[in-house]
Amino acid sequence: STSDEHSGESTDDSDKIGIYSYKVQSTITSRLASTMIQSKVVNNAKHPQHLVFEVQIPKGAFIDNFTMDVNGITFTSSIKEKSEARRMYAQARAKGKAAGIVRSNALDMENFRTEVNVPGGTKVQFEIHYQEMIRRRLSSYEHTISLRPGRLAKHLEVDIRIIEPQGLRYVHTPNTLGDHFDGITTLSKGEKKAHISFKPTLAQQRKCPTCSSTAVDGNFVVQYDVNREKAAGELEIFNGYFIHFFAPENLDPLPKNILFVIDVSGSMWGLKMKQTIEAMKAILGQLQPSDQFSLLDFNHNVRCWRDGLVEATPSQIDEAKNYIQGIHPNGGTNINEALLRATFILNEAKNLGMLDPNSVSMIVFVSDGDPTVGELKLTTIQKNVKQNMQDDFSLHCLGIGFDVDYDFLQRLAQENRGTAQRIFGNQETSSQMQQFYSQVSTPLLRNIEFNYPQESVSDITQNSFHNYFGGSEIVVSGKVDTQNLQHLESVVTATASNAQLVMETLADVEELDDFMSKDKYADPKFTEKLWAYLTVNQLLAERNLAPTAALKRNITKSILQMSLNHHIVTPFTAMVIENPNGDERMLADQPRDNKKGCCPGTLGITPKVPDKTIPSWANPTPVAPSPASAQKAPTFAMKPIHTVDND
Amino acid sequence: PHFIINLPKSQKNICFNINAEPGKILNLVSDADTGVVVNGQLIGAKKQEHEKLNTYFGKIGFYFKSKDLKVEVSTEMITLKDGSYSTGLSWADTGSIIRKRLLVSVKREHNVTITVDGEMSFMVVLHRVWKNHPVNVDFLGIYIPPSNPFSSKAHGLIGQFMPEPEVSIFNERPGQDPKKPEATMEFKGHKFTVTRGLQKDYRTDRVFGTDVQCWFVHNSGKGFIDGHYTDYLVPHLYSFLKNP
């Protein structure tokens, strides 16, 4: 609380809950975004009420701290192994307070939610810190901040700083919050730094001049890209770690052999099918003359538009569009048969010498549900596909809606050198599919390998990649012995559309020292954190595919150790939030994405639900409701129902 | 651009300058038998000095017909073209592009070496100038070793001297500038005056260059090169020189 919080314009509603301030501060240091969201709230009513702090954080972001101050008592957080965290929580459960990370149905976002039941006149300050590695997609880095204060805030502020040693090519702040906020965002951009500020006044926040509700409800988005001079990428070394950012340009795309495998079972009926057809027509239109393609659609049966791959001539593309337009979804889902047929077509084409040795072969699989016909066991399907996919083919999976087992699709893709993405079954399905396709439609390099002097570096993250797609970026990191080294050299080898490439880069280990020391906002641990996040994500993916329980246990152990060392919430850790005495504790852990953990409302319906005092996931054994919690307590952020996955 | 023709057997260097208009493409080597073409496109300085606009090589094109490969070296990029595909490195890179036994090797901000089947090589040197210089622009230099196995039919402003010609220089005498003596050169039946002077070789020292003693042929190499320099203008970066 600050003194000025007690004066000035009131932002209270009839429930007498007021937000004094809502601040978001974000600093991006070389793709590492550290974000703090702080909210100061007061219960101005005479009776106890629930205060809910709910923020959306990007999927894949790591929460690294949460604090809560209730009338001068500060709850701080620590990361513990999950069972240890649960044991602590069971020992000292907080009264009338709860915290957790819950699944949301927003694209690429999940919710962190805290509920506190506080007496009248109580002030609460919530502060969450999370970090994420911003990935380059479609030639741009996008930093999204979910801005949903729920009501008017006396002080509302978003402050973003970007520090990119490579130099900023451009910075955009598209007005995604609506016309209401035109011209309010300020942006100042230098060669390597940018500052973005969004500070709407109370009047500007109001939906209308006499409204008491806020118009601030949406995502605040910053897009930027960095300068790229060297094909070999940028090698940044700082504090004993190196990060290699690799995103070459000036390369022609490799020709593609692409098979689209589309689920046309009954569950696709309606909007999903309509949007899929729309997307497929657009995607087919983007094929290049050098590409070869075909289409398979499946329900309980598998149909091939053509027996083999055909050249992407305008007439073939038109015929494929007509074919897809005529699809009427019905029947069951035979995933096994469909994928095996697709691999058979690619294998046949390869055996017959129809594939350009320099081309990239891929299957794009689109489904909205589990198998219901043929092989139903997911592990068997996985095994069958893996056995039949050749090493130079990749499988990309798109899961539409929440009836699909996304973990399964992710495993399928990871095991077969591809990527997976959940597509949200709503009006945006078509554009989401097209966007995903755009990311894999321009393979520029194959077999990319990053080499560093073995005697000087250690703990390198994945350094060999099947493909590099235009508009994306490969990031490799590791530890480097800066004490005994003046320069670090890397050699990247890759196959381009018409040639072998060998690219070298040399970086002075002290090159960034001066730059970093002069910037008070730059995160001096950015290299270490990026390395940790890459390593944890890589270990999570490896664990997903581990063939034996013993190996899985070992990987879990490594992830746990990394999480504890670097203070990050992973599926194997939980955040314990406790008061100074340690006699009140809350628990927040990271959900895993699986079918059961998903949201209802696949078509964008977000039903409101009654408020709960302590969510069931945070309260494993029933407790008698306290007098305070028995009251119907409004929250300042009404949100849709959530299903929680406690891993 | 200036040309230095090194004649190892007679231990002489012959130099000449050619100042054509910016945008024009000069043929440097055209060898129909080995299927090798090297052309250079001219760029102009930012403005005239002493009522003269200096021109330099801004882009060099190599075409290796037997491999159907083209290499374009500009002051910005180095690009290998194979049919409709191209792969590029920038001058900020150190790296190599390898295709069909052709190696394009880039040394960051310094030079590019093109080696064909391990037998023939070319070096292009980058000359960077201060970005805000009022007159000068970035330009390229090309070095072609005499050991390259061109055929006897090789032509072009440089190619015609690949089999070392017989040059006779005599009657050395003081010139108008005492530091620059003059002499008479006899070449292919022509007799003309040449002037002694210095020219720069930038292969080893890219900034200051190494001084090379040279006999200058005036009037755009008139008498030393076959025909007139305009005979070496070609329409495209990968055009062979047409027989007159």
Side-chain angles (χ1 to χ4, degrees), chain A residues 177-194:
Chain A
L177 290 168
D179 299 343
H180 195 85
F181 298 103
D182 267 351
I184 295 178
T185 303
T186 60
L187 162 70
S188 58
K189 179 189 164 293
E191 193 192 337
K192 295 181 177 181
K193 296 171 193 178

Side-chain angles (χ1 to χ4, degrees), chain B residues 22-26 39-43 56-61 237:
Chain B
K24 297 283 184 197
I25 300 168
L26 291 172
N39 291 324
Q41 186 168 29
L42 301 178
I43 46 162
Y56 310 89
F57 287 125
K59 202 179 270 182
I60 309 243
L237 203 56

Side-chain angles (χ1 to χ4, degrees), chain B residues 24 37 41 43 46 87 119 125 132 134 145 172 185 190 201 205 209-210 224 237 242:
Chain B
K24 297 283 184 197
V37 166
Q41 186 168 29
I43 46 162
K46 286 174 188 159
T87 303
E119 295 170 341
V125 175
N132 298 322
E172 197 172 325
M185 179 188 279
H190 302 287
D201 175 348
D205 184 341
T210 309
F224 183 60
L237 203 56
K242 282 191 180 146

